[in-house]
């Protein structure tokens, strides 16, 4: 209720601050009998962690996750899975001088107004570091969905600043620092990011996340629509300012005759819906795009005010990403996995007795 | 949990189907002592209701709301406020022939896969008619927020199909059938809509909703961010495919030095944030944009399948809106009001003891 | 959150006041495909309704329930089932003189302190009349549980005032006005109740509710224990002051060697546990007892205070039950059904993939 | 939803198993600005911890709590407070031989039926050890309530086995191993417990918990009644089989004229209500009694079955309490504190604007 628990039945409660002793989460509601080890979660944590290339923050965190509960002899027991990640490289002195002012674009001002006090070290609770436990939790969901339904969840970069990134292949996304699905554009991205870092400024990004082999029937008619819950999950990621499902804002000037995906015996003729109709999954790929704003911590001096309300100037000197969107891909994947997992459990709670004599139509849309 | 209850503390439980005996909702958690009558809710219901111009569906519903509980001698009592709207003009025969097939873009197929059966009359539960109780509930929230904080929530059309609508004034939005904030463009919109209706096709729309005089400090750090809950509310409106807060997708190619709104003693220098920083309201206007897909019910024949999986053709003959976005403005306003109301209660639950000696900085951004 | 919604997955949202236009509820999360008509719900409503014997309040309500949504062609659709019961016999003048004072044992004082105002007509929201929609909702749960698992939920009176009622047979409970499972004691109860009514005083009662053929595995380890949720449900019924599971307070002076029910190949050797071990159903009968306080509305003058705080005397003249416990049996049954239904859905959400090669041990405890 | 999160606004998510690496909890929704250190929580943890006298289990745990987040410079920040307690003395070999059978009175059988597998070490998740994090969380609630409202929460033993313990003074409860409010009876209790321990059997207990200086108006009319939530909290404590509020089961043979507490200008004339009327606190002391069953782990051989369903005998050899009720007092206090804290936040969320010109009547009932 205070906003640190995500999900209805597969619930993840997140805790921690950027420069506190530890961050982590508690996953409640995981089905029992899932083979699970720390190694299963480390892969995505490593994809997200800082310090992996010169294009992201140079903070050094191993992001080693420890499973504190909920697993016995290598299998989940159905009881809460607590995950702990110790903070290692917390240089709090970098932030000592910003306690009395507010960085533009940051949550400094709003936290202070809300709570009357704030932990300024590394952004405290508002740090993107708090997405690490969600990536770990998403790893559990991904594994269960893959083993149960063959569901696959993948993300890639679509645009960094003004550079659009044409989709070439999923394989390429894991071969460069940008999760760019296109080898040819990597050099251009690297050069742009180097310039950005040197200028002390930052830039936004646009990402895409796709879930394939999602069962039909997930979601709800009115409020907990699958796409509404996805929008909630995505907009809740640090720095996200926009969310699209399927055609997204492109539907504004589409005609209905073009937008509505026709149904054919071998599948839908298109996927403008992005895999969701009336809030319920259609069996098509779930297609999501998000806009990530430019990193708020930049080295360029900006105007701000002090806590007393007088004018001042603020300039960030800590270690930051020139484009926070770069590390957002595994985060967005994890959040999508959590939503789908949650709805998979909700679906069988209410509708386990629904049986069809006709199989769902195949997904025809090539994912790419 | 099954998705018919909206909100955390100001909770609205919605019920009904398009062609059933009645639709309505139960509002739980409303503060006591609010003066409330059916007339207070009728204004927005009338703005949303069908049959008010030739540009929207010709279904005739008076949408008269009856307060069944929670109000005593003209004041809310703090107990649930049940609202009932009887369905009047339910021509179910229009839909008899679609029970065995699925309309492209509609929820027919997904409901059937989810539940194994469906109420096909007027779209059943998936009908946009179910937004009427939310408009009524939003009216309660609007009234409380206005009286308590002076909060004002307004919406307008930004684009219909390819016709962008430059903002001129809020006053104009209530003088035309499109909620267009610009008198000069109304003739062009009317002509376009007449053509669309005659063609049997439909078109999408882009809307904007703004909340002014929102207290600072509403929202939560991690998941129930104010913008995340707004995204959830907006994406949950029928036919919405995209949500933006502030700069939205425009932030992708912004520089951080431009995006991050500077703080000055007399207010923020801009509002790229859309009134939310780190998931918490800043006191700026809350700025939201949504994309509404073209109406799925069109008179043009489309390919589909039968429940048995064989190919067929479907053509809708019922009464529909050529652009469902036209009636979405009061709906989006209501949903935004519900989110803000909910967070206003959450905020004082946790932080009622927070006191500042310095007033929040003023909102400088002109709403327009 | 404001306390008018019951349950996690099978959620019932209750609304209404004793003398308002109507009372009712919205059931969300009901599995689709259940055959359901108003007649299915009327049986239990009739068992609870006032005016059926001289031993209960003489208010005349037909308690006819109307299904407003969620049922199509006689089957539940999976969408919210709204139930409406119009109030008919609301003699509000009976209560006009108590607006300025507080009846001992009633919620008058606490409602006023909480909300600052209250609806005094018939107790407003605090009236036991608000249990009628729960009885109807419980009827849906009972029907689903019976058809799915053969679950049977029955209640009976154990004690009225100082008269203990030995259990004879379940059949007898439906043959007298007290739900007494024993024909021999009915005359004594009638005489006692007649005396009580004439004296203007009231008396408490002790009830027992039993669920048989409950699947094993329902419940949760820590907080949403099946017995904890039952205690919550029972203590939430008007006038209930105590709840026991199995041996209840009798376990205080039991030895562990006697209390712990041994497991034998053909079933448990006893049922001190009341069908719940570690918060999870064992397959034994769920055994619950509750204490219902004497009706607070009595004709004997009592000391009280006015809203201004000065001393006064209050005497109730409206129509009331001399023992509210008499009508509580169908209510307690309904609440138990709702809890079990909810946990049945929760169980398959998380544990649908759990399979055992060995059947659960049979319930050996004779229900009686 | 899977039952490891307690509370609505002041939410505590519990994790861990008896013999896993650690146990703990995450508290979300705590108001900011509360001075809090580990020492504040240690007092109650030490009152609950094992190994403190010969009358409780000899497991040696220091139960040192570590605050991982949510506190900055000695004050709560409003963000989640994660508490970690490492398990130290986990002799898992004690339990190796019980994996294939089920201890009578324990959750072994039901966990296995529910999840298909279980962690048998020390009872795994079903161990009373999991109450330690709740005691710590309750310490936060107690501190806030005391500082904000002067609320005081105390518990004491009322009966162990057949030995009733007359109330003498609250001070005495902290001077003996049984939380007995009476020095004169301690020797008798010690002798009885020594006999019990030697016999290898166990015995039940009855406890009382009282909250004084509770604000009026806490609770809700229908389901989240203050007493219903208390019943839920208490019945959720390991081994609890009965809960009473105020007169409890004693109300069954009370007359209404005696039960209903009269209101006088200087306070209520009695407290049969136990501080709750219509589900809402009256300002009287909240009076709760609970029944705790005898420890299920006893050294006396009992009949049971194997996982394959054949007959066997089970005898517990691990370290256990002869009366688990002995250590339950701080647990029950903590759970009561959590419920009241939660409702205090809920109350100001909805009703912060309610103002009375007349002070609530004083609580006259002497607590004792």
């Amino acid at each position: 209720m205070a906003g640190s628990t995500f999900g209805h039945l597969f619930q993840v409660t997140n805790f921690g601050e950027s420069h506190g002793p530890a961050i982590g989460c508690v996953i409640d509601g995981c089905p029992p009998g899932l083979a699970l080890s720390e190694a299963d979660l480390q892969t995505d944590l490593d994809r997200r962690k800082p310090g992996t290339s010169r294009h992201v923050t140079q903070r050094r965190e191993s992001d080693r996750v420890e499973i504190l509960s909920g697993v016995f002899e290598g299998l989940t027991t159905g009881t809460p899975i607590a995950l702990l990640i110790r903070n290692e490289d917390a240089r709090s002195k970098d932030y000592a001088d910003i306690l009395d002012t507010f960085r533009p674009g940051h949550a400094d001002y709003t936290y202070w107004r809300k709570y009357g006090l704030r932990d300024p070290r590394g952004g405290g609770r508002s740090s993107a570091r708090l997405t690490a436990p969600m990536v770990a939790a998403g790893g559990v969901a991904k594994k269960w969905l893959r083993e149960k339904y063959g569901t696959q969840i993948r993300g890639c970069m679509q645009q960094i600043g003004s550079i659009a990134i044409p989709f070439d292949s999923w394989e390429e996304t894991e071969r460069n620092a940008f999760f760019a699905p296109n080898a040819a554009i990597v050099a251009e991205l690297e050069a742009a990011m180097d310039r950005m870092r040197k200028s002390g400024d930052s830039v936004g990004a646009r990402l895409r996340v796709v879930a394939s082999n999602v069962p039909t029937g997930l979601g709800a008619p009115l409020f907990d629509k699958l796409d509404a819950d996805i929008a909630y999950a995505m907009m809740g990621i640090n720095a996200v300012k926009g969310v699209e499902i399927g055609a997204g804002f492109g539907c504004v000037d589409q005609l209905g005759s073009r937008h509505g995906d026709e149904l054919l015996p071998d599948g839908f003729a298109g996927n403008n819906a992005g895999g969701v109709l009336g809030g319920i999954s259609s069996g098509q790929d779930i297609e999501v795009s998000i806009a990530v704003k430019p990193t708020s911590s930049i080295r360029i001096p900006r105007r701000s005010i002090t806590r007393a309300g007088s004018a001042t100037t603020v300039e960030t000197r800590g270690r930051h990403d020139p484009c926070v969107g770069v590390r957002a891909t595994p985060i967005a994947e994890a959040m999508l996995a959590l939503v789908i997992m949650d709805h998979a459990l909700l679906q069988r709670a209410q509708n386990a007795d629904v049986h069809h004599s006709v199989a769902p139509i195949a997904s025809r849309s090539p994912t790419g």
Side-chain angles (χ1 to χ4, degrees), chain A residues 38-339:
Chain A
E38 281 134 355
D40 291 322
L41 310 179
Q42 204 61 48
T43 311
D44 275 343
L45 280 170
D46 289 348
R47 291 171 73 215
R48 190 214 74 94
K49 80 176 177 186
T52 52
S53 83
R54 71 178 186 275
H55 306 299
V56 297
T57 174
Q58 293 308 297
R59 178 171 176 173
R60 294 285 166 182
E61 293 287 355
S62 62
D63 279 3
R64 285 284 143 199
V65 67
E66 182 186 5
I67 298 177
L68 293 180
S69 65
V71 176
F72 178 64
E73 299 185 341
L75 298 177
T76 59
T77 59
T79 59
I81 302 167
L83 302 177
L84 190 74
I85 299 170
R86 291 275 172 185
N87 288 324
E88 296 164 356
D89 182 13
R91 302 189 199 165
S92 295
K93 63 178 153 47
D94 284 341
Y95 298 90
D97 54 344
I98 58 162
L99 182 56
D100 194 52
T101 186
F102 312 107
R103 295 166 295 170
H106 267 287
D108 302 337
Y109 178 74
T110 53
Y111 270 58
W112 175 65
R113 295 303 313 181
K114 182 177 188 70
Y115 298 118
L117 78 172
R118 66 189 167 99
D119 175 353
R121 301 167 302 165
R125 182 89 178 134
S126 72
S127 167
R129 180 149 182 73
L130 273 308
T131 58
M134 305 316 291
V135 167
V140 180
K142 278 181 174 180
K143 189 167 193 289
W144 189 84
L145 288 168
R146 187 172 60 242
E147 296 181 6
K148 176 82 181 171
Y149 299 114
T151 304
Q152 188 173 24
I153 295 172
R154 294 178 290 197
C156 64
M157 187 66 76
Q158 286 186 306
Q159 186 172 336
I160 293 183
S162 57
I163 307 173
I165 305 170
F167 185 87
D168 182 45
S169 83
W170 285 113
E171 289 67 34
E172 194 54 39
T173 58
E174 302 300 321
R175 296 189 189 127
N176 62 75
F178 308 101
F179 299 95
N182 188 319
I185 211 160
V186 171
E188 183 180 346
L189 292 173
E190 288 183 330
M193 290 296 278
D194 286 341
R195 280 195 306 275
M196 194 56 64
R197 199 171 58 252
K198 281 167 198 157
S199 74
D201 211 334
S202 63
V203 74
R206 180 189 179 102
L207 276 73
R208 172 189 176 213
V209 210
V210 182
S212 306
N213 296 327
V214 174
T216 57
L218 307 194
L222 255 284
F223 303 123
D224 296 346
K225 286 186 165 85
L226 186 62
D227 40 356
D229 277 0
I230 291 170
Y232 163 80
M234 295 295 154
M235 198 66 94
I237 298 174
N238 305 50
V240 170
K241 302 301 289 181
V243 182
E244 295 182 319
I245 305 290
F249 280 90
C251 77
V252 173
D253 61 1
Q254 278 182 328
L255 292 178
S257 54
R258 182 177 146 224
H259 178 87
D261 308 310
E262 292 179 306
L263 295 84
L264 308 180
D266 61 343
F268 286 89
N271 194 8
N272 283 299
V276 186
L277 285 168
I280 298 168
S281 65
S282 65
Q284 294 272 84
D285 286 356
I286 307 288
E287 283 276 357
V288 185
S289 279
I290 59 175
V292 185
K293 73 178 185 182
T295 317
S296 297
S297 296
I298 55 177
R299 294 203 318 275
I300 297 169
R302 319 278 338 263
R303 292 176 294 171
S304 188
I305 57 172
T306 66
R307 279 188 291 184
S310 47
T312 187
T313 297
V314 65
E315 176 187 342
T316 305
R317 283 187 297 274
R319 303 151 297 175
H320 301 286
D321 304 73
C323 174
V324 282
V326 166
R327 292 200 288 139
T329 297
I331 302 167
E333 289 172 15
M335 297 310 292
L336 184 56
L338 291 173
V339 172

